[in-house]
mmCIF file of all heavy atoms in Angstrom:
data_model
loop_
_atom_site.group_PDB
_atom_site.id
_atom_site.type_symbol
_atom_site.label_atom_id
_atom_site.label_comp_id
_atom_site.label_asym_id
_atom_site.label_seq_id
_atom_site.Cartn_x
_atom_site.Cartn_y
_atom_site.Cartn_z
ATOM 1 N N ALA A 584 5.032 -3.129 -23.670
ATOM 2 C CA ALA A 584 3.752 -3.609 -24.154
ATOM 3 C C ALA A 584 3.695 -5.122 -24.252
ATOM 4 O O ALA A 584 2.850 -5.677 -24.946
ATOM 5 C CB ALA A 584 3.385 -2.981 -25.489
ATOM 6 N N GLY A 585 4.596 -5.800 -23.553
ATOM 7 C CA GLY A 585 4.539 -7.258 -23.532
ATOM 8 C C GLY A 585 4.712 -7.866 -24.901
ATOM 9 O O GLY A 585 4.030 -8.808 -25.250
ATOM 10 N N ARG A 586 5.668 -7.377 -25.712
ATOM 11 C CA ARG A 586 5.765 -7.810 -27.094
ATOM 12 C C ARG A 586 5.927 -9.310 -27.199
ATOM 13 O O ARG A 586 5.200 -9.973 -27.918
ATOM 14 C CB ARG A 586 6.970 -7.114 -27.769
ATOM 15 C CG ARG A 586 6.749 -5.646 -27.994
ATOM 16 C CD ARG A 586 7.755 -5.136 -29.014
ATOM 17 N NE ARG A 586 9.114 -5.203 -28.529
ATOM 18 C CZ ARG A 586 9.708 -4.238 -27.850
ATOM 19 N NH1 ARG A 586 9.038 -3.174 -27.530
ATOM 20 N NH2 ARG A 586 10.954 -4.339 -27.480
ATOM 21 N N ALA A 587 6.915 -9.834 -26.478
ATOM 22 C CA ALA A 587 7.119 -11.284 -26.571
ATOM 23 C C ALA A 587 6.230 -12.007 -25.577
ATOM 24 O O ALA A 587 5.703 -13.078 -25.880
ATOM 25 C CB ALA A 587 8.581 -11.621 -26.310
ATOM 26 N N ASP A 588 6.082 -11.410 -24.369
ATOM 27 C CA ASP A 588 5.361 -12.123 -23.327
ATOM 28 C C ASP A 588 3.912 -12.334 -23.704
ATOM 29 O O ASP A 588 3.362 -13.421 -23.510
ATOM 30 C CB ASP A 588 5.447 -11.326 -22.024
ATOM 31 C CG ASP A 588 6.871 -11.266 -21.518
ATOM 32 O OD1 ASP A 588 7.493 -12.326 -21.433
ATOM 33 O OD2 ASP A 588 7.340 -10.174 -21.231
ATOM 34 N N ALA A 589 3.255 -11.296 -24.206
ATOM 35 C CA ALA A 589 1.831 -11.450 -24.533
ATOM 36 C C ALA A 589 1.646 -12.396 -25.695
ATOM 37 O O ALA A 589 0.633 -13.090 -25.790
ATOM 38 C CB ALA A 589 1.223 -10.088 -24.852
ATOM 39 N N ALA A 590 2.614 -12.428 -26.620
ATOM 40 C CA ALA A 590 2.494 -13.289 -27.766
ATOM 41 C C ALA A 590 2.784 -14.734 -27.440
ATOM 42 O O ALA A 590 2.280 -15.636 -28.088
ATOM 43 C CB ALA A 590 3.414 -12.812 -28.885
ATOM 44 N N GLY A 591 3.611 -14.959 -26.428
ATOM 45 C CA GLY A 591 4.052 -16.319 -26.181
ATOM 46 C C GLY A 591 3.576 -16.938 -24.915
ATOM 47 O O GLY A 591 4.007 -17.999 -24.522
ATOM 48 N N ARG A 592 2.647 -16.274 -24.186
ATOM 49 C CA ARG A 592 2.177 -16.804 -22.910
ATOM 50 C C ARG A 592 0.741 -17.294 -23.005
ATOM 51 O O ARG A 592 -0.034 -16.809 -23.797
ATOM 52 C CB ARG A 592 2.284 -15.751 -21.836
ATOM 53 C CG ARG A 592 3.722 -15.574 -21.349
ATOM 54 C CD ARG A 592 3.692 -14.897 -19.988
ATOM 55 N NE ARG A 592 4.977 -15.047 -19.347
ATOM 56 C CZ ARG A 592 5.868 -14.100 -19.291
ATOM 57 N NH1 ARG A 592 5.657 -12.947 -19.822
ATOM 58 N NH2 ARG A 592 7.018 -14.314 -18.680
ATOM 59 N N ALA A 593 0.435 -18.216 -22.136
ATOM 60 C CA ALA A 593 -0.928 -18.740 -22.106
ATOM 61 C C ALA A 593 -1.843 -17.772 -21.397
ATOM 62 O O ALA A 593 -1.433 -17.004 -20.576
ATOM 63 C CB ALA A 593 -0.938 -20.085 -21.352
ATOM 64 N N ASP A 594 -3.112 -17.840 -21.751
ATOM 65 C CA ASP A 594 -4.104 -17.128 -20.958
ATOM 66 C C ASP A 594 -4.107 -17.737 -19.575
ATOM 67 O O ASP A 594 -4.014 -18.947 -19.397
ATOM 68 C CB ASP A 594 -5.501 -17.274 -21.570
ATOM 69 C CG ASP A 594 -5.648 -16.360 -22.776
ATOM 70 O OD1 ASP A 594 -4.722 -15.586 -23.076
ATOM 71 O OD2 ASP A 594 -6.700 -16.452 -23.398
ATOM 72 N N VAL A 595 -4.236 -16.885 -18.566
ATOM 73 C CA VAL A 595 -4.166 -17.341 -17.184
ATOM 74 C C VAL A 595 -5.529 -17.211 -16.545
ATOM 75 O O VAL A 595 -6.147 -16.164 -16.627
ATOM 76 C CB VAL A 595 -3.124 -16.492 -16.405
ATOM 77 C CG1 VAL A 595 -3.061 -16.953 -14.973
ATOM 78 C CG2 VAL A 595 -1.765 -16.609 -17.053
#
Side-chain angles (χ1 to χ4, degrees):
R586 290 197 295 272
D588 295 309
R592 282 199 165 101
D594 283 356
V595 179

